[in-house]
Amino acid sequence: MVSHRARIRATIVGLCLLTFVVGGSSCSRGGSADPVGVGALVATSFFAFLDPSGVVSLPTLYVDEAVTFRFDGPIAAGIFGGFVEDTSGAPMEFLGAGPTRNGAVPYYAYADQGAAHASLQMRENAQGSPLLGSYVVGRHRDAPDTLVVDPRVLTGNPFSLPPILGYPPQREYTYRIPTANGIVLANGAVAQPAGVDPTQLPIVLGPPSLPVPSPIFTVGSALSPDPVPPEVVSIEALDAGGQPVAGTASDPLPAQGGLIRITFSKLIDPASIDPLRNLVVRNLDLVATGSSGSGQRFATTTS
């Protein structure tokens, strides 16, 4: 009888034999970083798969979702100018958006993003595609063998990168680690080339075998779930001209043309505002419980 451990080992070997290398990669021997790694890319946070009908399906990421690239050994901390530091001299922690509400990706960003982009290139899966204009590369805070690519770049970032909400939506993307790159493991090994040569774009995946790690992912049109909900900063009554009023008997909100302006702590999706369900104005002069939501007009702004 074949043991359970032997069956697992045979399965892993079989997966390695099915690996289709696009630009160079290898199969990992386990779930943890190998301290004597050779610089091989062994896993990404996205993967292609075959559905029951035999059609290749690509993972669909959120517009602002960070992706990860795991190597076969821990990555040196001093590459690409080292980590961006806070005022105390400690590495500054950044949070990339994850695929779930509580799945944020913590990472330390590298100071020289230009060099990092040249070594971990992100492109649309289309002929002649240039590098994406703005994204942040860092090392995972808790997994030293893993690089993080964060497509969300905030205004006033310390890298002088153009701010962007994330990947341009509803497109396919791919990556490339060229032969000449600055990704170095702690043992001095340079990362092996991986991903897709830009001259081969676009590529289409098909059965019977699939690349491991997957070289392509799709981006949808939705943002990732925000673990910190927006808060109401202020609620103001405005007259028809947009000037604030006190909302008192001496300075009332006009019955015609009056507005209520609600400012939130972060941008919100206008499509999520339903005046009849989550934006209710009650008439306090009435004894009976009720609301004046039906037929009212509301104006909201965000900041």
Side-chain angles (χ1 to χ4, degrees), residues 281-288 290-292:
V281 176
R282 298 189 181 279
N283 189 338
L284 299 181
D285 292 330
L286 296 178
V287 177
S291 71
S292 60

Side-chain angles (χ1 to χ4, degrees), residues 61-232:
L61 277 59
Y62 292 111
V63 169
D64 56 344
E65 184 176 338
V67 294
T68 61
F69 299 82
R70 184 166 66 87
F71 293 82
D72 63 351
I75 301 166
I79 63 175
F80 307 135
F83 300 134
V84 174
E85 299 178 346
D86 58 22
T87 55
S88 68
M92 184 180 297
E93 183 177 323
F94 297 82
L95 285 179
T100 62
R101 183 175 297 278
N102 297 317
V105 182
Y107 66 91
Y108 300 133
Y110 292 110
D112 190 346
Q113 287 295 314
H117 290 187
S119 296
L120 184 45
Q121 304 171 2
M122 305 295 292
R123 290 180 172 87
E124 184 180 350
N125 184 28
Q127 185 176 9
S129 292
L131 288 177
L132 294 184
S134 192
Y135 57 93
V136 180
V137 179
R139 196 182 75 176
H140 198 289
R141 183 196 65 190
D142 305 323
D145 60 352
T146 300
L147 291 181
V148 176
V149 170
D150 190 351
R152 181 180 56 184
V153 183
L154 302 179
T155 301
N157 64 83
F159 321 107
S160 299
L161 291 173
I164 188 171
L165 188 62
Y167 310 101
Q170 298 181 318
R171 303 180 189 181
E172 290 182 0
Y173 292 92
T174 185
Y175 62 90
R176 175 65 172 171
I177 298 175
T179 302
N181 68 83
I183 302 173
V184 181
L185 302 191
N187 64 4
V190 178
Q192 298 178 359
V196 184
D197 188 322
T199 61
Q200 298 177 352
L201 296 177
I203 65 169
V204 178
L205 301 184
S209 61
L210 293 175
V212 179
S214 176
I216 314 175
F217 60 89
T218 299
V219 170
S221 58
L223 295 175
S224 64
D226 193 338
V228 181
E231 297 181 354
V232 175

